[in-house]
Structures are given as C-alpha cells and as structure tokens.
Amino acid sequence: MKQLLTLFLVLFFSELSAQTFEQYIQSSSDDAEEKFDGSYVTISSSDIELVYDSWNSQGLQTIGLRFADINIPANSVINNAYIQFTADGSYSGDVSINIKGESSNNSITFSNEETNISSRNTTLAEVSWTLTEPWSDNESGINQRTPDLSDIVSEVLALNGWQFGNAVSFILTGNGGSDAKRRAFSFNEDPSKSAKLVIEYTSLSDVDLAVTSIQQPNEYMYSTSSIPIKVDVKNFGNLTINNFEILYYIDNDLVATDTSQETLNPGQSSSFTFSQMADFSTLGTYTVKAEVNAINGIDSDSTNNTFTKTVHVISEVDTLFFSAGSAWSYFDSTFSSGSNWTSIEYNDSSWSIGMGHFGFGESDQQTEFNSGLAAYFLRKKVNISNLNQLNNVYMHLIHDDAAVVYINGQEAFRTELMPLGQINHTTTARQSGNSSNENEFYTYKLDTSLFVNGINVIAISLHNRSTSNSDLSFDCFITSDFQYSQDGPYVSYEGNTIIVEEVTTTGVVSNTYNSTSEIVLTCYLPHMSTSFSFPLKNQISIEPSEQDTTPSKFFSVSDFDGHIEAFTMLLKGEGIIDDEFKWIYGNGHLIISGDLFDRGHHVTECMWLLYKLEDEAKAQGGKVHLIIGNHEMFNLEDDWRYVEVKYFNNAHLMGKRMIELYDNNTELGRWLRSKNIIERIGDYAFMHGGISPEVSALNLTYNQMNEYGRLEMNGDCNNTDCDIVNGSDGVYWYRGMAEEELTQSQVDEFVTNLGVERVIIGHTKGSTVRSLYNGRVLAIDMYHMDNFENGFMEALQFKLGCFYIFHTENNEHTYTLIDECDDFDTTNILEVNTLGQLQVYPNPTVSQLNVILPQNLQDNYMYRIVNQNGNTIRTGQTDSESFSIGLNGVESGRYYLILKSSKREIMGNFILVK
C-alpha cells in the first residue's frame, strides 16, 4: 500500500509545474566559521574550509551558511535541494561532513560573538556528506555539490511563521585534517563564486499570484508631484494566468486600480507600471502598498498578494554641517560622463537617492550599491547662508577603499589610497584599505575658499580596489571642529634646513632650524601623563650585521605594534628603563625582533623611544637592536593596509602623503633604513619571520641578506635572490619555522649554516614564548595586547647562557627557565654586579660557599654557579635563609653565583682559593 501511495504522489506532482529557485550568499556575515571550542567566530573569512582549518589547535571548525530572501511559498513541496560550492584550491583526502538546518522560520545573519553558530537550534533532519573525490581549483560541479537537503528545507518551511522571502541557514560540522580537507570560495573572496542554494519545488496551488517587490519609488526620494509606481508580479501557481487586477495604496488610501491582460506562465515574473502617477510633493514618510488579485479562479495563498514599502521623501538641499547617515544622490552603474558630474549645473535627477551608510557586502549598509564596479558616484547639495562665518570645516569620511572629493567642481582632496594623476570611472584604488578600519571615519580639513554663498555641491567618487571586491563602504558628515590625536615629532630635511612638525589636538605646530645642535625633541604621551626628551643624532650609520660576542644579558620582544604602554611595562619590569624612560640596563642588549609599526596608536613615540635609548645604551656599554619586520617594510614601501586612521588624518593635516613621513629626507626614514632584517648577536641569530628552505639554499651571508633588505626598502630589489629574501618565504615573512612545517634535520642544517646555536623569531603569534625543534628555534611573538589587557606582559630574557620567559604583573616578576642552559663564555664580561646585601663567606672561600639571605630577599631560589668559560658546575634549589654549596673537586678561580626566584634574580661573583 505504501508503495502505491508513493507512486501516486510522484505521478500527481509530475503533473504540476516544477520550479527552481537559486540564491547565492548575499553578504559577508552570511558565511561564517567558528573555532572548534566556540571561542571565536569570523564573518570575514577569505575562504570556507570544509572542515579543517589550521587557525586553531584542533583544526576542525563549525561552518554557518545563511541564504536570504528565499522566495518560495510555504505550501510548496520540496523535490530537491542542495548547496553548490566552488573549489578554492586543489585538495583531496576523505572528509565527512554533517549538515543540519537552523530550526528558525527566519534565520538571522551570523555575528562574531562566541558560539554564534554552534549555539543555534538545529533541525531534526540532517544529511551526511562524504567527500572522497579530490577537488580541483575553481571546479564547481557534482563533486562540490551536497547531497539532497530537501528534508532539511521542508522542515524549516513547515515551521510556524514561515513566510515567503524569509532566510534559511545551514550548519556544517565534520571530520578531516591538514591532509584531508576541502576549501571553497567565500563571499569575501568572490561573491559570484560563493555558496549557492538550489531548491527545486512544486507549488500545491492552482492559482497563486504574488507581488514580489515595489521597484519604484525608491525607499528615499526628493519631493516630486509626479512619479510612476512600478512593481514585480510572479505566478507561483500551477495554472497559466491570462489577466489579473493590480492596485496600489498610499498610507492605506487606494490610489489606482489597473487590469493586466498579460499572460503569466507558472513560475514566470513580470514588471508592471501603473498608469496613474503618484504625488510625493510633501516631505515626510509614506507607506506604499501594492496588491494583486486573480480575476479568474481563487488565489490559494493570499499571504503573498500584497507587498508594502516605506518611502521617505526628503529635502534635496542639506545644511553644510550635516550628520552621518544623511541623504545623497548616487549612481552605481557604468558611468563615463567626464568631469561635468561634479559641477553645480549637472542634472542628477536620474540618479538614485539613498541614506548612509552606503555600500555592499557587510550587511550594515542602509543603502546597498550594485557590486562589480570600479567606481561609484555621489552628490549632495548644501546651503551656506554666510560664507564669512566659516572658519574650520572638517569632513569625516568612510571610504572603503578610496575616494576623491570635489567641492563645486574643484578637487578638494583625494584619499591616500587613490592613485595620483588623472582618474575616471575605471580607476581603482591602488591598494586595499585596513580591513579593521573599513567603517571608521577618516578626517580631512577642507579649504573654505572652495565654498560659495548659497547652494554648493559636494561630489564624491568612491573607488574599490577591484571590480571583484566583495565589499564597499561609504558615509560622511561635516563638523566645524575636531580634536586631532597627539603625534610626532616628525623631522625632515630640505637642504640645510631642518623642519620639525608636531600634531597637537588643535593642529600642526611647525618649527624650522639650521643646526641639529639647536634641537631638543620631545614626545608627549598625554594618555600616560608623561613625556620624554632627547637630542637628534649627529649621524646615522648602517648597523653591523654580526657581533661576535654574546652579551651577558639581553632582552628580546617582537610585534608590540606601537602599543607604548605595553612596551614600557616590559622595559620597566625588566629594569631596562626607569620611570623617566632613561636607560638603566647597563651593558645589556635590548633586541626588537620586528613590527613596532601598525595597529597601535603610538608608533611614532615607540620609534623615538628606541632612537633615544640607542645613545643612552651605548654610553653604558649596552646596545639597542631593531630588526626590520614586515610591517616596517610596509611603511617604507608605501603599503598602508594595517595603519590606524590617526596617521592618515595627521599626514593629511600636515599636507603630506603617507610615504613622505618615512622617506629618505626624514630622520626616522634614515634611521629605519640603517637597520637590518637579520643579525647575528654572538651565538644567536635574530630575525622577524624565519629561515625558509628557499632562503637557506641561497647560502648568503648576513651582510648580503641585509643588503637585499635595504634594496627592498628603497624600491630597488630587482633580482631573483633579492626577491626570495624579501618574498613570502623570506626572512621577515616566512612562518614555516614557527608553525613547525620543517623537519628537525632541516632546522639543524639551517641554524648551523647561520653559524649560531639558536634562532629567535617573531611574526607568528602563540600563547607565550615557545621553544621549538629541540630548542634550536625560540618563537617570541604572542598576543601582547590580550596579555596587557589582562594585566601582564611577557618577553624573552637571557642571562649567562640561560633563557627565561619573563612575566611581569602588578610589579611582580617571574622567570621560567626555557630548555637547558647553553654554554657561555664569560671571559669578555665587562661588568658583573656584586651580590650586594648578600653575605657570602669566606670570600675567598676554600671548599664551600656559604650564603645568608637577608629577610627582605628570602624566597625559593634556583641557584647556579658558572665558571669563567660559561659552564655550569653546580645547580640546586633552596628555600632556606642560609645555605651552603659544596665546592669539592672544583678548581681555584673566579666564579659567578646566580640566584633566581619567581620574583627576582641576583648575580654576583666570588673567588675560590685552594
């Protein structure tokens, strides 16, 4: 009997008209990935990994895919449904994926909140998908298609409250690994290749007409007494419709009733324009409703017969000091009418009207642009009643990626990422903006002479990085005042003249000098209620690539990204600087393994602090090393993808392009170009990224690598070896060492070829300092800002052959030994502190060393005695206020005693006489 019923249903539905609905992912937040533990969700991934992703320790992740505007009636039978992916790269291996739907009649988009995907209620229906066939790059066929998901879709459509046009989400989990995964295009990478939901369905209605949209008027419009009303009608039924009645209302008052004689076949759509115009001459907000009725036959589903749209009628002329989210006329189609569009006289009546925020791809826009264009155009009229009363005018812009602003037909400014020279509607931004600042307002001071009394036109061309870019953002407002962020000083040279500029909260302060001896520079840190001053250097010399002697102590940190509070917390905690930012580290070395630039708000001050400390350290026999990282290179190469808004604002205020802040005629630019991308300091090599097989195979000296680095800084890298040293597998980019992609034998070979015992790298973050490859590599980059916000900081400390994780918190310092200590040559130590308050007797001693700890220094100590050759001859632990260390069998000579607790380190020397 069951078989007969199934056969009947198949035969019955085959007589009805089957229809197909397709929908791609519509925004960046509609395809999302969540870490295995739910601790992080990204809605801006450049691809979708199924389901292994190396971004977390477990690899496996949860994926959310949301498809909006599912225009399928609730009473439909789902015959088939699947998600079609496009392969992003070639991958193989067996992968098992489990697919469920979100049990919601209108799923909301994803957000970057913890467990935002995995915490959603799911359908009872689920589908298993086993991938065994390999994927080839850009392939989009049967292998990239899920099994039938019709049970999941049917369950969602059957939920109480499902309406035509709601959204459906799918949640994917599974198993796989680094050697068994698939990767698909995401919306952010290419919207046209993002996941696509295909639903084949059959309507159960003989007659089902629907109004699916009101095309015109737009949601926002300027006042007019005559505008046509245009709507879209679709036949969702199984019968052909030959005529129908269509009506429209304004604020529930019937305005027009028309009859269409058009034939609509099942599944067919048509646009209809009413014969009677609408009157929107009065400013205000209106409700426009369109309705369709079948003339022959009873409409089986009346829930989709009407469509309602809110229309805002606004003034065409704004005040000069308008707010964000205001109205603009815009043009988002191919446009090539020359420069006339920027003038007051230009007729933009055919343009659309929208309210900020404008753009596409991020689900945050009030007005959505069409994607796929290089440039978008906006105009706004503003009225100025008295030009003489204008003082300062500041324009604040969201412009992802770049823009050119015109006032009354004249170019007022172009943003940093716009090319120079002539531009048109095909001109793209010269690089992508900072993805974390895409929706932040940049500030530009306008020349008030560009304005006139009466009506003015502000015209803006907004330029994307490419026609395939997945997102775009624009908004704007104007104010009469603005507080800039303290920054500087910036020192530049013009012939024999020295120009010192500083950005204060009220504007630029500039002074000119004829001699460096006249200049004392000051960095102000108002957020820390402090400052520091220093002179200019007499000269800047190229740093040596190698130093033969290993310092007795050094401190190494990387990637602090211009966060001066976190950085100085480390330096003060280790005793490198005092509260006045003065060097107190004696003959110790401070080594910065790259990336003091970007993301932070005090990059300039961090550079000047290191600049100042260099001379102070040298005077005490110490040294400061700055190793160039990829972010230093970015800023020297005119690449601003990670720079904070503050620096763009300040450069524009000073009348400079960003590259001018660090070019060859500036003090900071000269200073940075004197630094190395790799250094050997005694037994250890320091670099930002790591040594790759490609770089090691070149068999270059330290000097050669640094020469190539300086060629890159100056834009002169033009040979293969130089490209490799500075490329994606180069010295300051390569992550393979930190991510342990190499074998132990490879690392041993690379490190030995460098002539050192260990290499110390930054660039790739971890939870703390990591010892890798049996201690041949120390990776020191970590989540400094997370640590600082949690009240502590960590870095790498070295003393007499031993490496420690230095941890400072609430003025308490702890030291955790990393690996076994290295042999250390102490013969060249110039200065060793005495034990101070410690009582060491007898000194000279005969067979044992007796120590009494004063009350204020009592603690649990690890002790170590080191000979003149750096070899450790005694180790132990004590928690007593007095203790003895036996020295039987130890030859006469000078030795070093090192006491280390979780809070402090004490070092001194004694003489053994026999």
Side-chain angles (χ1 to χ4, degrees):
M1 182 65 183
K2 182 178 180 181
Q3 290 178 335
L4 290 173
L5 178 59
T6 302
L7 179 59
F8 170 76
L9 289 173
V10 170
L11 291 173
F12 175 72
F13 289 130
S14 67
E15 293 297 320
L16 303 179
S17 177
Q19 301 183 38
T20 300
F21 173 83
E22 298 182 356
Q23 182 67 287
Y24 284 94
I25 296 291
Q26 294 293 295
S27 69
S28 177
S29 60
D30 281 349
D31 53 6
E33 297 170 312
E34 179 183 304
K35 272 191 175 183
F36 73 98
D37 59 359
S39 61
Y40 183 74
V41 173
T42 176
I43 58 175
S44 57
S45 179
S46 61
D47 47 42
I48 298 295
E49 278 91 359
L50 304 169
V51 287
Y52 173 85
D53 193 340
S54 60
W55 72 329
N56 60 68
S57 59
Q58 300 294 319
L60 304 181
Q61 61 181 4
T62 300
I63 298 156
L65 302 173
R66 176 180 180 267
F67 298 92
D69 301 326
I70 305 299
N71 294 329
I72 297 177
N75 64 345
S76 301
V77 174
I78 308 302
N79 305 320
N80 186 30
Y82 59 87
I83 298 172
Q84 179 69 60
F85 294 98
T86 300
D88 180 18
S90 299
Y91 294 92
S92 60
D94 292 352
V95 177
S96 297
I97 298 175
N98 186 66
I99 307 173
K100 293 184 177 182
E102 182 184 357
S103 184
S104 169
N105 58 31
N106 190 20
S107 176
I108 62 172
T109 195
F110 302 105
S111 67
N112 55 8
E113 299 172 355
E114 292 183 4
T115 70
N116 184 257
I117 304 174
S118 60
S119 63
R120 300 188 178 206
N121 295 326
T122 57
T123 56
L124 296 176
E126 58 183 300
V127 172
S128 296
W129 184 21
T130 301
L131 293 88
T132 56
E133 295 296 324
W135 285 14
S136 298
D137 190 32
N138 276 299
E139 187 178 8
S140 183
I142 192 69
N143 289 335
Q144 293 75 39
R145 183 178 301 173
T146 68
D148 183 10
L149 307 177
S150 57
D151 287 348
I152 297 175
V153 176
S154 297
E155 184 176 335
V156 173
L157 266 63
L159 293 171
N160 185 33
W162 169 266
Q163 291 186 15
F164 177 90
N166 282 3
V168 174
S169 288
F170 298 88
I171 297 172
L172 287 68
T173 56
N175 294 300
S178 59
D179 58 349
K181 65 178 179 180
R182 302 292 188 276
R183 192 164 67 183
F185 276 86
S186 68
F187 178 89
N188 272 10
E189 188 173 13
D190 187 341
S192 68
K193 296 180 180 178
S194 63
K196 178 176 67 172
L197 175 63
V198 179
I199 302 176
E200 299 169 2
Y201 68 96
T202 303
S203 172
L204 295 181
S205 302
D206 287 335
V207 177
D208 184 9
L209 281 171
V211 179
T212 56
S213 71
I214 298 176
Q215 289 190 36
Q216 192 172 301
N218 292 329
E219 184 179 0
Y220 296 95
M221 59 179 293
Y222 299 139
S223 61
T224 177
S225 60
S226 180
I227 186 171
I229 305 295
K230 187 176 181 180
V231 302
D232 288 328
V233 179
K234 184 172 181 178
N235 179 9
F236 284 100
N238 297 302
L239 298 179
T240 297
I241 305 298
N242 293 317
N243 52 64
F244 51 88
E245 181 184 62
I246 187 162
L247 312 84
Y248 82 86
Y249 303 77
I250 297 179
D251 291 341
N252 290 321
D253 293 329
L254 179 63
V255 178
T257 302
D258 285 352
T259 301
S260 173
Q261 302 297 325
E262 183 177 4
T263 298
L264 287 181
N265 294 317
Q268 186 177 359
S269 296
S270 178
S271 294
F272 181 85
T273 302
F274 285 91
S275 58
Q276 182 168 334
M277 300 286 200
D279 181 1
F280 290 109
S281 54
T282 303
L283 302 182
T285 299
Y286 300 85
T287 299
V288 178
K289 182 175 71 173
E291 178 182 340
V292 65
N293 296 310
I295 294 177
N296 297 319
I298 299 174
D299 197 314
S300 301
D301 183 4
S302 61
T303 61
N304 56 13
N305 284 41
T306 61
F307 190 97
T308 300
K309 184 175 189 178
T310 301
V311 175
H312 304 274
V313 180
I314 55 181
S315 174
E316 189 175 2
V317 180
D318 214 331
T319 61
L320 175 62
F321 299 111
F322 56 86
S323 302
S326 65
W328 292 76
S329 298
Y330 69 90
F331 197 92
D332 59 347
S333 299
T334 303
F335 182 72
S336 57
S337 62
S339 60
N340 184 49
W341 70 275
T342 65
S343 69
I344 295 178
E345 296 80 17
Y346 183 79
N347 182 1
D348 60 12
S349 60
S350 63
W351 289 26
S352 301
I353 300 163
M355 303 287 286
H357 183 125
F358 295 81
F360 61 81
E362 296 181 348
S363 299
D364 59 355
Q365 58 273 351
Q366 180 73 12
T367 301
E368 184 168 1
F369 285 152
N370 291 318
S371 61
L373 300 172
Y376 298 78
F377 302 88
L378 303 105
R379 285 169 53 92
K380 176 189 279 289
K381 293 179 181 178
V382 295
N383 182 53
I384 299 176
S385 58
N386 189 341
L387 192 62
N388 294 327
Q389 292 180 351
L390 280 186
N391 293 314
N392 295 321
V393 179
Y394 300 94
M395 176 176 281
H396 311 276
L397 274 179
I398 294 174
H399 49 65
D400 175 28
D401 290 300
V404 183
V405 174
Y406 305 86
I407 307 294
N408 296 325
Q410 297 187 59
E411 182 175 326
F413 65 88
R414 59 183 65 191
T415 64
E416 179 66 43
L417 302 187
M418 277 302 300
L420 299 177
Q422 191 170 5
I423 62 170
N424 57 35
H425 66 288
T426 65
T427 304
T428 57
R430 59 191 181 90
Q431 58 185 257
S432 296
N434 186 340
S435 59
S436 64
N437 293 334
E438 288 177 341
N439 288 322
E440 287 193 33
F441 286 95
Y442 293 68
T443 296
Y444 303 90
K445 190 173 184 179
L446 296 176
D447 180 359
T448 57
S449 68
L450 296 173
F451 293 103
V452 297
N453 277 317
I455 302 299
N456 295 257
V457 167
I458 300 172
I460 299 176
S461 61
L462 182 67
H463 298 258
N464 218 342
R465 180 66 183 94
S466 72
T467 56
S468 61
N469 244 25
S470 62
D471 61 356
L472 186 81
S473 293
F474 169 81
D475 205 349
C476 178
F477 68 98
I478 292 181
T479 62
S480 59
D481 56 31
F482 178 70
Q483 280 200 341
Y484 284 88
S485 297
Q486 180 77 38
D487 188 24
Y490 290 94
V491 179
S492 59
Y493 299 88
E494 292 184 7
N496 296 322
T497 302
I498 307 168
I499 302 169
V500 179
E501 295 175 284
E502 175 191 2
V503 177
T504 70
T505 56
T506 57
V508 178
V509 176
S510 180
N511 290 291
T512 301
Y513 303 89
N514 295 316
S515 168
T516 57
S517 62
E518 305 175 53
I519 303 173
V520 175
L521 301 175
T522 300
C523 279
Y524 295 96
L525 298 166
H527 71 296
M528 297 171 65
S529 301
T530 189
S531 64
F532 58 88
S533 299
F534 53 96
L536 277 177
K537 297 178 185 293
N538 291 324
Q539 65 177 13
I540 295 174
S541 302
I542 300 296
E543 293 287 346
S545 298
E546 298 184 69
Q547 172 183 312
D548 290 334
T549 304
T550 304
S552 62
K553 61 181 179 180
F554 62 74
F555 191 76
S556 186
V557 61
S558 76
D559 300 81
F560 58 87
D561 298 331
H563 294 280
I564 198 164
E565 288 173 290
F567 183 45
T568 54
M569 178 179 175
L570 278 172
L571 299 186
K572 291 178 182 180
E574 174 64 0
I576 294 173
I577 62 173
D578 61 17
D579 288 339
E580 296 180 347
F581 301 98
K582 294 179 180 178
W583 181 271
I584 56 172
Y585 199 41
N587 64 348
H589 287 223
L590 171 62
I591 305 161
I592 311 302
S593 294
D595 282 10
L596 63 88
F597 266 95
D598 294 345
R599 296 190 178 95
H601 290 85
H602 296 93
V603 173
T604 315
E605 294 83 355
C606 285
M607 281 193 285
W608 285 125
L609 178 60
L610 293 175
Y611 177 99
K612 175 182 92 79
L613 292 176
E614 280 185 342
D615 291 340
E616 295 175 0
K618 184 178 180 180
Q620 296 183 32
K623 188 168 178 59
V624 174
H625 307 256
L626 171 60
I627 311 298
I628 294 295
N630 61 303
H631 283 265
E632 281 74 42
M633 280 295 188
F634 281 153
N635 284 256
L636 293 173
E637 293 181 309
D638 199 20
D639 189 330
W640 314 108
R641 72 185 79 171
Y642 296 108
V643 177
E644 292 298 322
V645 172
K646 161 185 174 177
Y647 299 99
F648 292 98
N649 292 348
N650 292 349
H652 183 266
L653 184 66
M654 291 187 287
K656 299 178 184 292
R657 303 285 289 181
M658 289 289 290
I659 193 64
E660 296 178 65
L661 300 180
Y662 311 113
D663 65 15
N664 280 302
N665 75 329
T666 67
E667 183 73 0
L668 288 176
R670 295 175 181 179
W671 179 71
L672 288 168
R673 286 172 174 82
S674 73
K675 306 306 177 187
N676 296 316
I677 62 172
I678 183 171
E679 287 188 15
R680 180 178 70 84
I681 304 174
D683 293 331
Y684 309 107
F686 293 82
M687 69 210 73
H688 183 61
I691 296 294
S692 66
E694 292 79 5
V695 169
S696 184
L698 297 177
N699 199 28
L700 299 172
T701 66
Y702 286 89
N703 276 337
Q704 287 172 321
M705 286 186 277
N706 285 323
E707 287 170 6
Y708 285 143
R710 266 181 281 280
L711 286 176
E712 181 73 9
M713 295 178 199
N714 293 305
D716 297 326
C717 186
N718 53 17
N719 65 68
T720 301
D721 287 2
C722 186
D723 289 338
I724 292 173
V725 169
N726 294 283
S728 59
D729 290 326
V731 172
Y732 49 83
W733 268 113
Y734 183 60
R735 297 186 188 272
M737 270 189 162
E739 294 179 349
E740 298 183 271
E741 295 175 357
L742 304 173
T743 66
Q744 184 67 48
S745 61
Q746 282 180 302
V747 171
D748 289 339
E749 177 188 352
F750 298 169
V751 176
T752 300
N753 289 344
L754 289 172
V756 294
E757 295 299 318
R758 308 180 193 241
V759 298
I760 293 147
I761 59 176
H763 190 47
T764 303
K765 295 188 185 303
S767 58
T768 186
V769 177
R770 290 90 68 207
S771 174
L772 310 173
Y773 299 103
N774 295 325
R776 301 307 300 274
V777 177
L778 295 178
I780 66 172
D781 186 17
M782 63 192 80
Y783 297 93
H784 289 305
M785 283 309 95
D786 291 346
N787 294 348
F788 181 74
E789 290 172 2
N790 289 321
F792 71 92
M793 287 294 291
E794 291 184 340
L796 179 70
Q797 184 209 54
F798 173 88
K799 287 283 183 70
L800 294 180
C802 295
F803 288 92
Y804 303 90
I805 299 172
F806 171 72
H807 180 104
T808 179
E809 183 173 1
N810 296 324
N811 293 318
E812 294 288 332
H813 316 307
T814 60
Y815 308 82
T816 304
L817 182 66
I818 303 171
D819 304 329
E820 295 182 359
C821 297
D822 296 344
D823 290 340
F824 183 74
D825 182 3
T826 62
T827 56
N828 293 318
I829 293 180
L830 300 178
E831 173 188 339
V832 178
N833 297 326
T834 62
L835 289 175
Q837 299 182 60
L838 289 178
Q839 299 179 46
V840 181
Y841 62 93
N843 190 2
T845 187
V846 179
S847 61
Q848 68 179 22
L849 180 68
N850 300 309
V851 181
I852 297 177
L853 295 171
Q855 186 172 0
N856 66 320
L857 294 180
Q858 291 174 14
D859 206 340
N860 295 324
Y861 286 97
M862 296 290 298
Y863 66 78
R864 184 162 63 102
I865 294 179
V866 180
N867 65 17
Q868 287 280 85
N869 294 323
N871 298 318
T872 299
I873 62 171
R874 292 287 187 275
T875 60
Q877 185 171 356
T878 179
D879 58 2
S880 173
E881 65 183 31
S882 63
F883 58 95
S884 299
I885 303 172
L887 298 173
N888 288 329
V890 178
E891 298 178 354
S892 299
R894 181 180 293 277
Y895 295 88
Y896 302 93
L897 171 64
I898 302 168
L899 301 176
K900 200 170 193 69
S901 75
S902 63
K903 298 179 180 179
R904 63 181 62 87
E905 179 186 273
I906 307 167
M907 182 171 69
N909 63 80
F910 64 94
I911 298 172
L912 175 62
V913 178
K914 288 194 174 181

